[in-house]
Amino acid sequence: MTKNLGLVIRGEKDEQAVLCSKDKTYDMKIADTSNMLLFIPGCKTPEQLNADQASCDIIHSQIAGFSNNYWELRRCRPKLKKLRKLLMEDPYEGPDSHKDQTLTFSKYTTEDFLSLIQASEEEILHQLQVINACKIEGYWRILEFDYEMKLLNHVTQLIDSESWSLNKVPLRTCLEELGSLEPTEMIEHILLSYGRRYIGDAGEVYFEMHEDKICRAIAQMLLQNAVKFNLSEFQEVWQQSVPEGMTARLDQLKGLALVDKTSRPETIFLLKVEDLPEDTQERFNSLFSIREKWTEVDITPYIQDLCAEKQTVGALLTKYARSSMQNGVKVYNSRRPIS
């Protein structure tokens, strides 16, 4: 990692280097120029000379060096898949976990991630928020999924028993009631992960719970234990499993699960976008090995994150897939044979 003027070059020995500002990431590529570039210490630009009308003398400058190429920068997607991979080396299973009481687990601070992840600081911190990471004793951790569901279940059961509105869940009462079961920091973290924090009229802190996030998490819990699930049976069990007052809908599962409408009966299975390759061509190869032909609606949640700045999903499909019509519906398949 090399720093200069607020810019950082990031990348380990086996990675292609990228340049990062405070909030953006750029690919670096050496480009040739037919004009010779000269390095002159203390060189002034025309604008600086015009501002200094007093200095009209000819200046004799020493040339310190020259070059016929330069670094060309192109805005690119931050390479964030490694962030989750590092955190998943040892997910947090709760204060009673024997594994966590040993000192062998991998611990990462923000500074560690700035050295290891090819992304800007703002992009890294945003992604930590997206994946619901939290700081425990000064280190970033991600909750083990079963422990996360245990915490969420405590909160939803309390909401149900107290007959609270899902839009007005009081933080203080949650901490008082559930503090004997789990650390209060974990209770507040799960509320932040699955709700929106706001201040009430009397200054008390409340949370508005996110229906889509909660339904999605419960669907993942149900689907992770089966290779495939009968769609109608799954929808019935799913709706029975979500908190009262919430409605489970298939559009909540974009990028998490895929419905196979060609099978009889129709089935659904877990397919998480974060488990797919980060490289664009590898991502398409992986998707086309799972399903030969995709509709745009089905494939969009699995490639949307690959779009560069101002690039559309349609443009991405045009470049990496071939379209055809099947029963009056446009479908996409691979441009190359999939082994």
Side-chain angles (χ1 to χ4, degrees), residues 104-121:
T104 57
F105 65 86
S106 304
K107 298 190 288 188
Y108 298 102
T109 63
T110 303
E111 283 301 314
D112 292 329
F113 287 140
L114 290 173
S115 297
L116 295 166
I117 307 300
Q118 290 187 289
S120 69
E121 184 173 358

Side-chain angles (χ1 to χ4, degrees), residues 40 66 68 73 81 84 105 124 145 160 171 174 181 200 214 244 249 277-279 290 295 310-311 325:
I40 303 172
F66 65 91
N68 290 111
L73 303 180
K81 190 177 179 69
R84 187 182 189 91
F105 65 86
I124 290 170
F145 186 67
D160 183 55
L171 172 63
C174 281
L181 301 174
I214 293 172
E244 189 176 346
R249 307 184 316 275
E278 197 167 35
D279 176 77
I290 293 166
T295 63
K310 298 180 182 176
Q311 188 180 31
M325 297 301 290

